Amino acid sequence: VGFVIDLELCKKDGFCSQVCPAEIISMDGPQGSPAPVEDFEEVCLHCGHCLAVCPHGALTLEGVAPGDCPPIAKDLKIRPDQARQFLLGRRSIRRYKDKELERGQLEEILDIARQAPSGHNSQPVEWLVFSGREKVKEIAELVADWMGWMVQNMPEIALPLHMDRTLARFRAGGDPLMRGAPYLMVTHAHKDNGFAQSSSTIALTYVDLACYSLGLGACWAGYFYRAALAFPAMQQFLDLPEDHITYGAMFLGYAKYKYPRIPPRNPARVTWR
Ligand SMILES: Cc1cc2nc3c(=O)[nH]c(=O)nc-3n(C[C@H](O)[C@H](O)[C@H](O)COP(=O)(O)O)c2cc1C
């Protein structure tokens, strides 16, 4: 079993047992130490909570030792007012500087996003990253083709969403589809994966927030997403693995403008019971 306790370090406080989502760590090991229950291997989510919560570094899980896991740096803890301003100050960015990102910055964004929560810790999200204005524009052209088809064939859906107007602006040389962004990040996963939609949405939200923290900006590519689900030419272009579909996308780059204020939003509609 890949669950190893260093009895010299373990204080038998039971933290690992308490936080385990599957409740598969008993305190029936040697000298009252934690021990895996019989069906541990089959049930374990591999979430690493037991390893991460131990203040004594006493637990090694599947060959991953405490020293392999980055410590939480106390001096990096942010105050509630900082967290609030950060979360409220994020905006959907639709104007970009003509400036490229380093590959390392894109990797950092994805390194943050891959740690977003996912159903049953299944981590189902995979990524397609398109780099360069030209390539993103090429994809915008496909979105425009889909819009043209929608306006022609499904006006009852297209017109209330003003697709005719958006398409006309695109054809006139604007870019209301990808906003001239230099990068597009697309998530995909198996079409039958029940955790993929929520996990993708959260991972992309992490992308959005990571961008903001790095002085970059991102925006949901809503039209692209709809085209990717419905338009064969787009699906051909994306060439996803067998049985995979798109679950969301964001375009991003260096934000051209800063927002010195937080815009108003509706009050929370809450029923307290
Ligand atoms: C699911 C979803 C799809 C969106 N699609 C688009 C889009 O296609 N184009 C766009 O410019 N903004 C899109 N947005 C951004 C919203 O317009 C934006 O979140 C909203 O206006 C609030 O602004 P804020 O994000 O700056 O707070 C989308 C947002 C979400 C959550």
Side-chain angles (χ1 to χ4, degrees), residues 80-217:
D81 58 341
Q82 292 172 321
R84 182 181 170 85
Q85 174 164 291
F86 176 69
L87 290 168
L88 273 55
R90 174 218 56 84
R91 296 272 70 78
S92 293
I93 296 305
R94 301 187 181 87
R95 297 286 169 189
Y96 296 95
K97 287 183 191 164
D98 193 9
K99 183 175 168 185
E100 288 181 10
L101 274 72
E102 310 266 328
R103 172 60 67 89
Q105 288 173 291
L106 294 165
E107 285 171 349
E108 169 67 1
I109 292 164
L110 293 169
D111 191 49
I112 292 171
R114 77 186 170 87
Q115 310 203 35
S118 66
H120 215 262
N121 192 36
S122 58
Q123 304 173 62
V125 176
E126 297 181 41
W127 302 87
L128 253 184
V129 181
F130 293 100
S131 299
R133 276 200 157 77
E134 290 310 309
K135 203 172 285 175
V136 177
K137 185 75 192 262
E138 191 184 337
I139 301 169
E141 290 283 353
L142 282 168
V143 179
D145 291 347
W146 167 74
M147 277 190 161
W149 187 92
M150 288 293 289
V151 170
Q152 284 293 314
N153 298 286
M154 303 187 85
E156 69 285 359
I157 293 175
L159 298 183
L161 294 172
H162 309 293
M163 282 191 196
D164 50 339
R165 190 173 176 276
T166 304
L167 180 58
R169 273 160 57 218
F170 184 80
R171 294 290 182 224
D175 185 4
L177 303 175
M178 298 291 186
R179 313 283 178 178
Y183 300 90
L184 178 71
M185 286 189 177
V186 180
T187 63
H188 62 93
H190 195 279
K191 63 180 173 46
D192 300 330
N193 187 320
F195 293 127
Q197 184 62 77
S198 53
S199 303
S200 158
T201 305
I202 302 166
L204 284 165
T205 300
Y206 270 43
V207 165
D208 199 6
L209 292 167
C211 282
Y212 180 45
S213 78
L214 295 166
L216 309 168

Side-chain angles (χ1 to χ4, degrees), residues 12-39:
K12 290 108 185 161
D13 50 32
F15 293 178
C16 55
S17 169
Q18 290 285 322
V19 300
C20 175
E23 304 189 349
I24 50 175
I25 302 172
S26 77
M27 294 302 290
D28 302 331
Q31 305 149 33
S33 64
V37 303
E38 205 176 321
D39 55 357

Side-chain angles (χ1 to χ4, degrees), residues 54-76:
C54 180
H56 323 295
L59 202 160
T60 294
L61 186 69
E62 287 150 352
V64 181
D68 301 327
C69 302
I72 297 287
K74 286 211 174 78
D75 58 319
L76 294 182

